[in-house]
Amino acid sequence: KVDTGMHRMGVSPEETVPLVRHISRFDSVKIEGIFTHLASADETDKGPTKTQLDRFSKTLSFLDQEGIRPPIAHAANSAGAICYPGSHHDMVRIGIAMYGLHPGEATKDKIELSPALSLRARVARVHIVAAGEGVSYGADWIAPEPTKICTVSLGYGDGYSRAFSNQASVLVGGAKRPIRGRVCMDQIMFEVPRSHQIEAGDDVTIIGRSGDEEVSVDDLAQIAGTINYEIVTGLTRRLPRFYVASGQQ
C-alpha cells in the first residue's frame, strides 16, 4: 500500500521503489498488487485527489522503468471509480456504491444509483396507550391522548441507532409512522392512527420503499449526524439476510 495522502497506512511514494526492489529479490515472494486509497474523492474540491493520483502514477512509472511493477494496480474507491476515470488502472474497489448509495455530493450528478438494501421487520404488539402515559425508557414521549402504539422486534442491538429515538419514521401500508420513545436494544415503538387496522405479524419497512413513500439510508444518516456507510455497515449479524433478484421485493 502506497500512502499518497490518506496518512493512515502504507509506505511513502519515496519508499515504495526501494521496498519493491528489495522484495523482488526473493524467489519465494511474489508481489501481486500495489494500491493507494483516496481520501477526498467524494469531495467537490478535486485538488487533493489529483495530487494523490499523480503521486501514485509517478510511483508506478518508476516501477515500470525498473521492470518491477506489480501486475495489479488499483486506487479507485466508489467516488474515484465514478469521478476519476484515470484512477481505474487494473481494478476498482467500489464500496458504498455497491449498496446503490452515493459516497457524497460529488457523484450525484454523474451516475444514477438505486438502493440495493432494504430492512424490514414485523409488528410484535399493538395496544392503546392512555393519555398522559410515557413510552419506552425515560418516558420522554408522553401520549397527548389515547394513542395506538405498535412494537417492532428490532433495536440498537441490530444496528438501529438510539439517535433515531423520537426522530425517525417507519413505513406501514405506504405511509410514514413516527417512532415514539427511545429505541431499545431489541425493540422500537411507533404510532399509527387509532383507526388504522394493524396487528401483530404485519410487515414494517424500516429502510426502503413502501408505496410512494421511502425511508432512505441517507435520511437516517442525516438524523444520526453521520454518513450512509456507517448506517449500512452498522447493521449487525443478528439480522437475517435475504438475497433477491433485481426488481423483486
Side-chain angles (χ1 to χ4, degrees):
K1 184 173 186 177
V2 184
D3 182 6
T4 58
M6 180 75 174
H7 299 306
R8 183 173 62 182
M9 291 289 286
V11 295
S12 70
E14 294 76 18
E15 297 171 311
T16 301
V17 174
L19 177 62
V20 175
R21 187 189 300 128
H22 177 73
I23 296 174
S24 297
R25 294 173 182 154
F26 296 92
D27 293 335
S28 58
V29 179
K30 179 181 178 182
I31 305 176
E32 294 187 339
I34 182 170
F35 71 107
T36 193
H37 189 66
L38 302 177
S40 306
D42 58 339
E43 303 289 341
T44 54
D45 181 0
K46 297 180 180 296
T49 299
K50 289 181 176 180
T51 296
Q52 282 195 262
L53 292 175
D54 182 61
R55 289 171 178 168
F56 190 58
S57 293
K58 287 180 178 178
T59 302
L60 295 179
S61 294
F62 292 143
L63 293 169
D64 271 326
Q65 291 170 17
E66 296 207 18
I68 55 173
R69 180 195 187 280
I72 301 174
H74 48 107
N77 50 15
S78 291
I82 295 168
C83 298
Y84 298 88
S87 71
H88 291 184
H89 294 290
D90 305 303
M91 186 170 72
V92 298
R93 308 188 307 269
I94 62 168
I96 190 65
M98 196 157 48
Y99 288 92
L101 301 173
H102 283 278
E105 292 298 322
T107 66
K108 290 184 178 179
D109 63 346
K110 298 183 180 300
I111 191 171
E112 182 178 351
L113 299 176
S114 298
L117 175 147
S118 61
L119 176 61
R120 294 184 172 87
R122 296 187 185 277
V123 174
R125 182 195 185 201
V126 179
H127 69 296
I128 302 297
V129 173
E133 290 291 311
V135 172
S136 195
Y137 290 112
D140 57 4
W141 186 84
I142 306 295
E145 59 185 7
T147 304
K148 183 178 283 189
I149 295 293
C150 304
T151 302
V152 173
S153 298
L154 173 141
Y156 61 76
D158 304 290
Y160 192 78
S161 172
R162 289 182 83 246
F164 305 144
S165 302
N166 293 306
Q167 300 295 321
S169 297
V170 299
L171 299 177
V172 178
K176 288 187 176 182
R177 305 301 183 191
I179 299 294
R180 297 305 191 197
R182 296 180 189 172
V183 173
C184 307
M185 181 186 292
D186 304 298
Q187 292 159 324
I188 57 174
M189 284 67 74
F190 65 91
E191 177 186 350
V192 297
R194 290 181 62 185
S195 60
H196 185 85
Q197 296 300 309
I198 189 169
E199 58 186 29
D202 286 354
D203 285 338
V204 178
T205 298
I206 311 298
I207 298 172
R209 182 173 291 278
S210 177
D212 294 329
E213 290 285 358
E214 180 182 18
V215 174
S216 71
V217 174
D218 289 328
D219 293 335
L220 296 180
Q222 185 173 22
I223 291 171
T226 186
I227 59 173
N228 50 18
Y229 217 163
E230 184 173 353
I231 300 297
V232 293
T233 59
L235 299 176
T236 71
R237 293 185 179 183
R238 300 198 329 174
L239 294 169
R241 268 71 168 170
F242 300 92
Y243 298 89
V244 298
S246 177
Q248 296 183 4
Q249 294 295 319

